[in-house]
Amino acid sequence: MRQANRIVAAAHKLAATMMQPGIRTDEIDRAVESLIRAEGGKPAFKGYRGYPASICISIEDQVVHGIPSARRLQSGQVISIDIGASYKGYYGDAAATHACGGVDLLRARLMDATDLALSRAIRQAKAGGCLNDIGKIVEKTALEAGFSVVRDYVGHGIGTQMHEEPQVLNFDNHMPGPELREGMVLAIEPMLNAGTDVVRSLSDGWTVVTADGKPSAHFEHTVVVREAGGEILSWCDAPMWGDKSD
Ligand code: MF3
Ligand code: CO
């Protein structure tokens, strides 16, 4: 899983350099797929329930699962990129939202709040805690910043399959849920919307968009539950946990 996630992290670094106005989203997909394969991995999304590409790239009001295409990025947009890879049967999964060119204050704050929600959630991924601590801190962080949390899509356990138990909600479920145990591996992935939390799917069968057309941001890491908080597997240069303090 470390190696699968190292490949995912390297793919994100490459993708980040490509988030430029004018680039076609399928060019980023092609570059990421090449990198994953060159590192000995397999793109986890390609063929998953018939998904046609190696990345999900979700622009502006697209929340998750945007399909790469001939569409070109424009300055001022927020772009979420989600990448999964497997290596020797083990999975890695991570997502990040980038500014293409300059973005306005609303978008900058939305990305910051989502990233902060993930950082705080990772800090809560500690042995002896409970699963609901993660959702609680994500929801609190979103609401304090004046944003909403997507409820229809969730994080997940990850291991020899991309999606394993348990589901990792991004909101308070008002029940403690299972105890977090040392060594559990979770993909934590808050999705925050600037406006309503209501989302809908497009007729392509994949792309999820906000109901009000306002922008959305998404960050995800694969983390191991540890005594001191989550250990991030999907970021090469990250410290052992919570790289942001508040
Ligand atoms: N990365 C998504 C997740 O975290 C999965 C993408 S769905 C796929 O669950 F079909 F694109 F693979
Ligand atoms: Co995921």
Side-chain angles (χ1 to χ4, degrees):
M1 292 191 79
R2 284 188 192 284
Q3 187 54 22
N5 279 288
R6 269 197 200 104
I7 295 169
V8 167
H12 269 286
K13 286 196 171 164
L14 171 65
T17 68
M18 298 182 78
M19 293 289 163
Q20 304 295 333
I23 197 166
R24 284 171 56 140
T25 60
D26 57 7
E27 293 175 56
I28 302 169
D29 183 62
R30 195 153 33 92
V32 164
E33 178 167 352
S34 298
L35 183 145
I36 291 171
R37 294 197 191 279
E39 297 290 336
K42 289 184 199 148
F45 299 174
K46 199 159 213 178
Y48 179 84
R49 297 186 175 178
Y51 188 74
S54 297
I55 65 171
C56 298
I57 186 154
S58 307
I59 302 170
E60 284 285 288
D61 60 320
Q62 298 178 349
V63 179
V64 286
H65 303 167
I67 302 172
S69 72
R71 182 169 176 186
R72 293 181 189 276
L73 301 187
Q74 293 171 15
S75 184
Q77 292 175 328
V78 284
I79 319 287
S80 131
I81 176 164
D82 192 345
I83 304 174
S86 66
Y87 183 82
K88 296 188 178 173
Y90 289 88
Y91 283 81
D93 189 6
T97 301
H98 300 272
C100 182
V103 292
D104 63 14
L105 186 56
L106 174 75
R107 286 169 175 75
R109 286 186 53 253
L110 177 64
M111 287 190 287
D112 264 1
T114 311
D115 198 14
L116 179 61
L118 175 57
S119 293
R120 287 176 168 171
I122 291 168
R123 205 163 37 194
Q124 282 300 320
K126 57 176 187 235
C130 60
L131 189 63
N132 193 50
D133 296 343
I134 292 173
K136 250 194 213 166
I137 194 71
V138 169
E139 185 172 28
K140 182 171 167 342
T141 304
L143 298 186
E144 276 174 4
F147 299 125
S148 70
V149 156
V150 174
R151 303 173 76 91
D152 293 1
Y153 295 85
V154 298
H156 48 95
I158 180 168
T160 57
Q161 299 180 79
M162 182 164 59
H163 294 140
E164 297 184 357
E165 292 292 299
Q167 291 195 347
V168 182
L169 308 186
N170 292 306
F171 54 88
D172 186 358
N173 201 29
H174 304 293
M175 285 186 284
E179 185 188 336
L180 298 173
R181 303 271 181 91
E182 170 89 19
M184 285 174 119
V185 186
L186 303 174
I188 305 176
E189 48 181 314
M191 290 147 269
L192 269 57
N193 293 350
T196 178
D197 63 347
V198 179
V199 299
R200 65 186 175 87
S201 293
L202 299 186
S203 58
D204 63 17
W206 284 102
T207 313
V208 177
V209 298
T210 59
D212 59 8
K214 292 189 180 170
S216 184
H218 176 211
F219 285 84
E220 175 179 25
H221 272 306
T222 298
V223 309
V224 189
V225 172
R226 298 295 186 200
E227 292 290 340
E231 176 191 351
I232 302 173
L233 295 187
S234 49
W235 195 248
C236 303
D237 298 328
M240 289 296 277
W241 68 85
D243 54 349
K244 279 193 177 161
S245 52
D246 46 314

